[in-house]
Amino acid sequence: MKVLDIFAGSGGFSLGFKLAGYNIIGAIEQDKWAAETFAYNIKDAQVIVSDIQKCSNDYLLEEFNHKKPDIILGGIPCQGYSICNKNAGDPKDPRNSLFKEFLRIAELFLPKYLIIENVPNLIQAKTNSQELVIKIIKTELEELGYQVYWQILEATLYGIPQIRRRLFIIASKKVLDNPFPEATHYFPEKGKINSCLEICPNLWDAISDLPKIHAREGQEEMEYDREPSNDYQKQLRKGSKKVYNHLAMKHNKRTIERFASMSWGDSISDVPEHLKPYKRNSNGVISDKVYDQNSRRLPPNRPCHTIPASFYANFVHPYLNRNFTAREGARIQSFPDWFIFKGKPTVVSQKLLEREGRLDEKHLCQYNQIGNAVPPLLAKAIAENLKNQVCLFNIKPDSVVDNQKLSQVLI
């Protein structure tokens, strides 16, 4: 089936579907660097670099109608993401947000499936008039003729070494018996759900075979210097002859000393007083504000915490005195090593760019692209499960199908 990805980012959502055998025909992404990453790695797709609100119906039909997408994907920034006119209505109402753009394109092509990804809190979110946002979304999709399902999926249950919970909404033209994939993995601390599950890789399983580099070391392209030691590493190294985007942050001596004082589980609030951050422009005065979520040294034998868009400042390597590289974050997100992220590794503060009128420099850096992405192996699990549903649709109700033939169809 043919897939169109809107709000596409760097392509994690699409990559999962591509790995499951789907045909990615196109993407719409307004950020230049993220779109470049998408186009470089998913080469057959037509990538439109534009604000989706500026893409007219006629233009989109001209570009994609001949390909007729069967599935439309979208990591939509729903809640609190109001359109430009802040006085247009309740900013928490999805009908006043970019969700309406998703609906516009859905109505334009009426594909077999629509799949939305968002944060779990969307389920509890309410408009100013106390309507549940998720119910508004469901109603709007049902009015287009879709059956609507939603579920929060936990990444570790699908073999991804990261505690990451995300809401997925699937809208289907047909009734789905099992719209979401069953768990394939478990983590020992949470207990085993059934005997068929595999153990989920931990943080060290994900990154331990990457070249050992210290602060200020590494390159955008370098050689592997050791063999993979587990199936997860073998899976993500398949098809790649080199390591990309493995460049360490340029920490100063004091920052390295700060990290050296930290044990597993410690954050910046746990370091000795003399190593805590200085106030901005204070000439050496220790700040009285310490953000506990910043620079936490993660234990190697557990899944990583959720990788956010700014993870270059969130986590410290289990053994080395530096933050994660972009490639380590990509491994934790389940991107294969051959997937290369374009643009700069990091950029200056977006607030600073806005304040100084340098909006033309405002792009999603490699870390942003990785942290914003849908983990490809999670997307792949959704895609493969959906493929099984499609196979079942193609079996006529009055036909006789034995278990062996049914298994072959599902495979």
Side-chain angles (χ1 to χ4, degrees):
M1 289 193 290
K2 297 182 288 294
V3 177
L4 173 62
D5 193 346
I6 60 180
F7 309 104
S10 59
F13 215 164
S14 281
L15 177 60
F17 275 74
K18 181 178 176 65
L19 294 174
Y22 290 72
N23 176 19
I24 313 302
I25 62 167
I28 304 172
E29 169 55 44
Q30 70 173 344
D31 183 78
K32 178 182 175 182
W33 290 354
E36 185 181 355
T37 295
F38 194 112
Y40 183 84
N41 292 283
I42 305 178
K43 299 185 186 300
D44 295 335
Q46 178 183 352
V47 181
I48 295 174
V49 187
S50 175
D51 179 345
I52 199 167
Q53 296 172 96
K54 297 178 181 178
C55 297
S56 69
N57 287 354
D58 289 342
Y59 172 72
L60 292 173
L61 285 172
E62 182 181 345
E63 295 298 318
F64 296 117
N65 200 40
H66 64 289
K67 300 176 183 177
K68 187 61 179 172
D70 300 295
I71 300 174
I72 294 179
L73 307 177
I76 309 171
C78 280
Q79 61 207 107
Y81 203 124
S82 178
I83 56 177
C84 295
N85 181 5
K86 297 293 183 182
N87 298 318
D90 182 352
K92 295 180 181 179
D93 189 327
R95 290 165 297 201
N96 292 329
S97 74
L98 291 176
F99 172 66
K100 74 175 186 179
E101 294 298 319
F102 187 86
L103 284 179
R104 175 173 70 93
I105 296 175
E107 189 170 11
L108 198 61
F109 295 107
L110 291 176
K112 296 173 183 175
Y113 304 97
L114 305 166
I115 308 178
I116 298 170
E117 180 261 359
N118 212 284
V119 293
N121 286 345
L122 188 66
I123 286 184
Q124 282 83 38
K126 293 182 179 180
T127 66
N128 288 344
S129 59
Q130 296 304 299
E131 293 180 273
L132 280 168
V133 170
I134 190 69
K135 286 194 174 181
I136 295 174
I137 292 174
K138 180 176 184 290
T139 299
E140 296 286 333
L141 291 171
E142 286 175 341
E143 288 181 359
L144 291 180
Y146 289 95
Q147 304 288 324
V148 183
Y149 313 86
W150 65 78
Q151 188 167 316
I152 295 172
L153 301 182
E154 164 60 60
T156 56
L157 297 181
Y158 303 94
I160 299 155
Q162 179 187 176
I163 303 168
R164 189 184 190 93
R165 301 173 72 247
R166 285 295 183 269
L167 171 68
F168 289 89
I169 303 170
I170 296 179
S172 169
K173 284 290 187 179
K174 297 183 179 181
V175 174
L176 300 179
D177 290 332
N178 300 295
F180 297 99
E182 297 292 332
T184 55
H185 292 71
Y186 76 101
F187 203 76
E189 289 185 4
K190 292 189 175 182
K192 195 169 185 177
I193 301 174
N194 65 58
S195 59
C196 299
L197 302 184
E198 300 178 35
I199 295 177
C200 181
N202 58 38
L203 170 58
W204 198 235
D205 291 331
I207 66 173
S208 61
D209 66 314
L210 293 172
K212 183 179 178 180
I213 60 173
H214 297 278
R216 310 182 76 86
E217 296 180 348
Q219 299 173 33
E220 284 294 326
E221 180 179 329
M222 58 195 307
E223 302 290 336
Y224 289 106
D225 62 1
R226 66 199 71 192
E227 295 297 318
S229 62
N230 57 59
D231 289 340
Y232 187 79
Q233 293 172 5
K234 292 175 184 176
Q235 180 182 12
L236 296 193
R237 286 173 66 152
K238 187 176 181 181
S240 184
K241 296 181 179 180
K242 293 188 177 183
V243 181
Y244 302 93
N245 310 124
H246 192 45
L247 186 65
M249 301 287 289
K250 299 185 185 301
H251 302 308
N252 60 34
K253 183 178 179 181
R254 186 170 182 270
T255 300
I256 295 171
E257 188 179 353
R258 176 190 300 148
F259 291 163
S261 74
M262 297 167 62
S263 301
W264 293 337
D266 286 351
S267 76
I268 204 166
S269 63
D270 299 304
V271 304
E273 191 68 22
H274 71 282
L275 291 176
K276 288 183 178 178
Y278 295 135
K279 289 183 179 180
R280 189 183 298 273
N281 302 321
S282 68
N283 197 23
V285 177
I286 299 293
S287 174
D288 53 1
K289 292 183 180 180
V290 177
Y291 297 97
D292 186 62
Q293 70 270 30
N294 282 359
S295 295
R296 182 176 297 278
R297 189 184 287 279
L298 296 182
N301 58 349
R302 303 185 64 186
C304 182
H305 292 191
T306 302
I307 293 285
S310 59
F311 72 90
Y312 51 82
N314 290 86
F315 307 124
V316 180
H317 190 281
Y319 298 105
L320 303 174
N321 297 320
R322 61 167 175 79
N323 295 123
F324 286 152
T325 68
R327 178 50 53 187
E328 286 164 342
R331 278 286 189 92
I332 294 163
Q333 277 276 62
S334 76
F335 279 95
D337 286 0
W338 56 259
F339 195 98
I340 301 173
F341 293 89
K342 297 296 185 175
K344 295 180 181 179
T346 60
V347 291
V348 299
S349 165
Q350 295 196 0
K351 290 183 179 179
L352 176 63
L353 293 177
E354 291 176 1
R355 192 162 58 243
E356 296 185 352
R358 297 158 56 192
L359 292 179
D360 57 331
E361 300 176 39
K362 185 178 177 181
H363 299 299
L364 295 175
C365 67
Q366 293 173 11
Y367 283 87
N368 297 155
Q369 294 173 40
I370 293 165
N372 285 339
V374 176
L377 290 187
L378 180 53
K380 182 173 182 257
I382 293 169
E384 289 178 336
N385 183 70
L386 192 61
K387 188 181 291 186
N388 290 345
Q389 305 293 308
V390 174
C391 289
L392 288 173
F393 289 159
N394 293 333
I395 300 173
K396 296 179 180 179
D398 57 349
S399 63
V400 178
V401 182
D402 62 31
N403 289 337
Q404 183 177 359
K405 290 180 179 178
L406 179 58
S407 298
Q408 290 172 350
V409 169
L410 293 180
I411 292 170

